[in-house]
Amino acid sequence: MKKRSRRRTALWGAGFAQPPGPALTRLSVSHPFDRRLAREDIAGSLAHARGLAAAGLLPRKDLRRIEKGLARIEKELAEGKFRFTDTDEDIHLNIERRLIEIAGESGKRLHAGRSRNDQVALDLRLWTLGAIERAESGLHDLVRLLLDRAEKFLDPAVVVAARTHMRSAQPVLLAHVFHAYAEMLLRDLERLASARLRAAVSPLGSGACAGTTLPIDRKKVARDLGLADISANSLDAVSDRDFAVEFEFVAALAMVHLSRLAEDLILWTGEEFRLFRLSESSTTGSSMMPQKKNPDPLELVRGKSGRAAGDLMASLTVLKGLPLSYNRDLQETQEPLFDAAETLEVSLDAMRETVAGLVLLPAAERAAIDSQALATDIAETLVSRGVPFRRAHEVVARWSQLAADSRADLREIAAVEAPALGSFLARLTLESAVAHRDLPGGTAPRRVRAAIARARARLRRYARRAAPPR
Amino acid sequence: MKKRSRRRTALWGAGFAQPPGPALTRLSVSHPFDRRLAREDIAGSLAHARGLAAAGLLPRKDLRRIEKGLARIEKELAEGKFRFTDTDEDIHLNIERRLIEIAGESGKRLHAGRSRNDQVALDLRLWTLGAIERAESGLHDLVRLLLDRAEKFLDPAVVVAARTHMRSAQPVLLAHVFHAYAEMLLRDLERLASARLRAAVSPLGSGACAGTTLPIDRKKVARDLGLADISANSLDAVSDRDFAVEFEFVAALAMVHLSRLAEDLILWTGEEFRLFRLSESSTTGSSMMPQKKNPDPLELVRGKSGRAAGDLMASLTVLKGLPLSYNRDLQETQEPLFDAAETLEVSLDAMRETVAGLVLLPAAERAAIDSQALATDIAETLVSRGVPFRRAHEVVARWSQLAADSRADLREIAAVEAPALGSFLARLTLESAVAHRDLPGGTAPRRVRAAIARARARLRRYARRAAPPR
Amino acid sequence: MKKRSRRRTALWGAGFAQPPGPALTRLSVSHPFDRRLAREDIAGSLAHARGLAAAGLLPRKDLRRIEKGLARIEKELAEGKFRFTDTDEDIHLNIERRLIEIAGESGKRLHAGRSRNDQVALDLRLWTLGAIERAESGLHDLVRLLLDRAEKFLDPAVVVAARTHMRSAQPVLLAHVFHAYAEMLLRDLERLASARLRAAVSPLGSGACAGTTLPIDRKKVARDLGLADISANSLDAVSDRDFAVEFEFVAALAMVHLSRLAEDLILWTGEEFRLFRLSESSTTGSSMMPQKKNPDPLELVRGKSGRAAGDLMASLTVLKGLPLSYNRDLQETQEPLFDAAETLEVSLDAMRETVAGLVLLPAAERAAIDSQALATDIAETLVSRGVPFRRAHEVVARWSQLAADSRADLREIAAVEAPALGSFLARLTLESAVAHRDLPGGTAPRRVRAAIARARARLRRYARRAAPPR
Amino acid sequence: MKKRSRRRTALWGAGFAQPPGPALTRLSVSHPFDRRLAREDIAGSLAHARGLAAAGLLPRKDLRRIEKGLARIEKELAEGKFRFTDTDEDIHLNIERRLIEIAGESGKRLHAGRSRNDQVALDLRLWTLGAIERAESGLHDLVRLLLDRAEKFLDPAVVVAARTHMRSAQPVLLAHVFHAYAEMLLRDLERLASARLRAAVSPLGSGACAGTTLPIDRKKVARDLGLADISANSLDAVSDRDFAVEFEFVAALAMVHLSRLAEDLILWTGEEFRLFRLSESSTTGSSMMPQKKNPDPLELVRGKSGRAAGDLMASLTVLKGLPLSYNRDLQETQEPLFDAAETLEVSLDAMRETVAGLVLLPAAERAAIDSQALATDIAETLVSRGVPFRRAHEVVARWSQLAADSRADLREIAAVEAPALGSFLARLTLESAVAHRDLPGGTAPRRVRAAIARARARLRRYARRAAPPR
């Protein structure tokens, strides 16, 4: 997109003898990033113009010229032919200026009863709603994939060592692990749904901060924009960026979830943990070391969680201590919002591509699970037979130590120390241990299957909302 | 609370030849802060014991001894007689140890089918639910006070200059300003209600990470605890701290809102802005300067917003990149949670005390509002008479500049420049300007009155949930 | 800059049957931002090539072709004619690819004994050194301006009310206030000088992580690049981003200082505090309100402090918990570095422009200083006459209250209550109060003059280092 | 420490008709945390009293009574007999109040020429200097231990696989790895030394914000306190917390370094990576799983890096946008400072204990290093023989793929494909690969030995400053 030659005055500049200084211009010009709001700005202007017309403040003929002008601007933007100017520092003034070029006096009627303060608040809300949809779509697809993959690992059941403190803990179904991550991301979907309710509110009609004296029907304008509600207080409406910060929080938390999955996948696909192989298309090579195939997408996603946290912190710090109502500081909440949304989107895509390409190693190549992972099963069996748990724990802890010292199978040690457990121990395998954890949320196959089914049902609820990525 | 002499082994220590080293002990001992969870821990243990009994894993006699023992421990804690030990590093083991001292073998039966991993997850969830209630209660009271005060300023209507960019913008009702802050805090109440849904989930039965082999009825245990749901995946259940981070986010955002109110009140009560006087009980003096009465509570609340942001940042960073499932790093999410909750509580109290003590200065002492604040009214009147807004804006901008240069009243300049506006300008006052912003969310008295009424209705919905502070 | 058509394989891709997937590509491609490193990358490649040649690993003829090729690439980049490709995801591979196109087999010899891991570490260090220079230059100019302006306010001395807790405290010279900000920024200059020492270290020769088997003279290569030192450990060298984070910290703290100055200037130039007028070129207007001239650069600078804090937090979070040595997560430390540097630069420029344009209001228009600001002087005079300070404080506090209640001049009240102080009080003025604070760091004119002189001397030390902005 | 019954008025309260409200008191009372400053406060008061005496403002007899009184207070504090009161909200007033109880009118003379604003700034600076010393001591000891352990692994040389992207990259000496971490921490020591210069500045004499009218010799007072310099501007002096934030930054970055070491150690001591065994005293057990020995100190240190980042974030946010000079918000920078210092200290101790207890597994038990780690050596040998590196990389990449596909030793594949390399390949071992990386910073034994020696020399420089932990 090209730049127009510099004009002398901004649309707001009639009362000014001097133009903004060069450093203020550099600081102030926001169209390089707020042009992301172009589509929303045009949608908002159309709705506002119709509201003015309905209120008798805009003759039909002017409305039509505005509608045609905005349509033409949308086309110019789409085709990269729109020429931006720094004199009109932001997307809003650039579009209004161009509209006046196209539609003449009619264009000059558009901004009645409106300020950039309520205009940008609307644009950001509409953009946030779009970002929520795209995030929902990405989350939806990744959750579905995780559940699909989980289901594949159920029959025949793949058993792995669940870890606590990064140490082998107890045997679980691999499906259970994948479902765990699906649960985290389902919560993120819930949070987005909740955030949407607070974002889908029209601030139009709030003017600069006190409303307008012109008789606009705010609810009708909101309905035209597909927004369920209107803001209740004009001062709050122009100074509120909660909807953006809330989205950034949900994005930051979702990115933390992805960073955890990335960490697990980096380990599981490594030479040491030996569980999966990455698709080659999810790796890159080294410029120096010929043998390398590195898990770059996983590392990048893990790293990008820091970025999302930084975006959130930036916005909170910007808002801290701001007096009512609109302050220009608020412009600094825009880029964190854009960045958080784009970071989450690209990370979800990359994670989906990577998870889809995971190849389970054949059983023979996978790292073995030590019999120590069965220690809790033995202790709980003692409990079933009447031993207080603390005693059972002590006894099995000693057997476990014996087994470790002699590098023996824990079951064999236990069978020697407690012959009465013999038949139980003979039947105790990783698979039986898994099967015995047969309570809701547990890792027994039927429980995991049921949990996956319930997760799918929850997911379907969100699916209805999700829109295609933009 | 006193400390017991050091024992040789922790409850988990049967398999250990060596005790933890001194630095690990210093690092690891958490009872100085996690004793906040004592009440929740006891409630959880009671429910778990009843669950074991219902499953036939705990004889009735043992259950009764456990119940009595836990009741005694609760009393000891309340009376400051409970003796903590560092060998049992946390509140959970301290209570279990004491229970065994009191209830003997019965006490040793309690921990069957449970790990500290699901236990602490439960305790933190119960504590978070309590923190949500206290935050709701504090928010509720402050919102009600803001609305009460707003209403008082409606009749006779107090008009002030709304500011944008910290500069006088347009006249608004003082009630409108107070209502703006009420709206912000109502959103925080909404977010808390949403966060509660995700917190009120029982992880008990998830064990260390894979569930338990003992046939506990998880849903019944959850109902006993007043929790609506149970966790769907044991790995996720023990490693999930989303509920804490989400609360911390809501607290951080609410603190940002309070920091904004604090900033405004610091200015409004100062010598320059001259709107309110602070109650003397909301000020403190200087150790050196005899004349000073400083707005300390407001400054402290403003400052504490940084603390809440830091808590949130700490938790997100702790969680970043953690593999499944439980990792001890999670302990580091506790203090930020406690701190965020306590920061919000004390800040809400202080803000309520301060707002309650605000004394509006008599009209004669209040800073005057310049006629320039009426510029938009004049421009919008031109629009009503058919002038395109951009032209109207340009014209009035020039009149405004003239008025500024000659230190004249803007209305007089306008009347000279545009005699046709004479009768309109003669009737244009700050009060009439306010009255003309007569659309929903605007500052006309009837609109503000309606907005306050709606805010009260929303508040009542939350009131039903709010519990007294603990 | 245009993009080349997609090639089949990256320079590292010989062992790969599959290209990176589309989402990995989107995630991985960094040339849109790391092209900022182009100049540093070329400088590093030149030095490396000369090192190879000196070690006998690169024939002279090949060296010359590489030198010519890199010079041509630099020109292409400067002229916007360089064509980037996504297959070679970053600036380093894009340049190497293009070099091979230009210089053929000679170009293929360049990367011997080098990895992108030490290459990007070098480029980032060189870029950081440039960013430090630009920040120093901007800080230097702003400090000098603050001191210049301070000096102008010394004769005749302009006295203002210093504030604590945003309330009038004691009279000070306006010069003293400007000097206070100069001191803050001088500390930032000191921190940058310290950070430079740790940045000016060459990692070249560290290879991928273990060094190289080729006999390169690392110190000579470093000297060619103007770097004082070489890294001491190859694993550390490729995984270290401390230099970037340290710069980001200094930038964040400097931005906090600017945010404080911005806040003060917003207040001092407002209708209420009435001290300065902003140059019109440091304000912008409202799209709706014709009368407005808003202090936008100050608000934007204040807001941008949040951005710098976010950048720092992002980097710390990225680095947290990363194992040795290079991990791709490190790429996510680049954009925060770039953003922090660019934020600080533009903010310093804007602040300089704004401070330069401040117009002191004529004395008659400035807000008056209340006599209460003299309370400490009276108390300290009592001390000089032998009264214990705590008693003096109590006595004057009561006089102060009396003066406030009766809206009287504090000196008159004191003169009535303590006739012995009469002659002192008769001479007590804002000017005499200022003059009496005659100790180093105090606000007496000769002390402020001396402090400014010393600040200028410190500044000159930094000036020698500062380079022109790039 | 017990609390005294509530008094009616604070030391500053003579002019107040009303005491602070209950919520303000809760918010305002800081002695529960700022009592950490007691020793520094007493030291500062002693120096100030001597300064007053030297200026003729405090009779010798009063000075002696103040000295005796402060000594007694120090003893009471040390013995836990000091009784704190909430009326005097902070440590400063509590001590002054007690001094007046002990020393009567003499005590009332102490606060002349001083405000809590310069007093607390001094106390925090002295405390920060102590924290720097303790951090230096802890860093020093850990660096020395890392270097000692590194040296032990040199003869016979232990070779491990260095990782990039968490994948085996190239063979390095284990000593090289330990030295890498020593280098990171040496940089932290450098930063602390730099931070100390800016902390060791006396603000005393700055009063509330404008200095004092009493003729105190500020430089002499500073010398008495062992401080090298005095602050240059009183407004800046009372509002500056840079020294605290800078320390917090260094602590946060050092904690990031420890988090990285913790992550590596968690992996290296796990079942999969099989390099070290943790001392049992650096592990704790599970309440449920009898077999577990978990690396808790490492996890806690890793987690605590989040806390340190949160502390830094909190302080930056508190300071953002504060106008000159002292604002009560500054109180909120204290707890982050205390927490950052204490977090770093305990983490350094725990890390030292853990590293000291690491037991290297016998060679036979350690994970093997795949021959693929030698790929770069082969490619660089081709370069030595005249092959352009890019070609060499391509060729070896294909051999590497062949070796991977056929699970063969890379050397064997290479020998088949390039018989000319036969004798080189026959001599190519992990040990020879390490030895060939023979350049400064490389992993050849003599280079690592030299690097360790240089690190020791740097460390000795810092050792001279380090003081014993408090």
Side-chain angles (χ1 to χ4, degrees), chain D residues 307-326:
Chain D
R307 181 177 195 127
D311 289 330
L312 174 59
M313 181 69 204
S315 291
L316 286 171
T317 310
V318 168
L319 295 175
K320 177 248 172 179
L322 283 193
L324 280 181
S325 58
Y326 182 84

Side-chain angles (χ1 to χ4, degrees), chain A residues 163 167 269 272 293 401, chain D residues 167 269 272 293 401:
Chain A
R163 286 177 177 79
R167 300 292 186 255
T269 58
E272 298 81 7
K293 296 191 178 161
Q401 189 59 45
Chain D
R167 301 293 188 254
T269 58
E272 297 82 6
K293 294 188 180 164
Q401 189 59 45

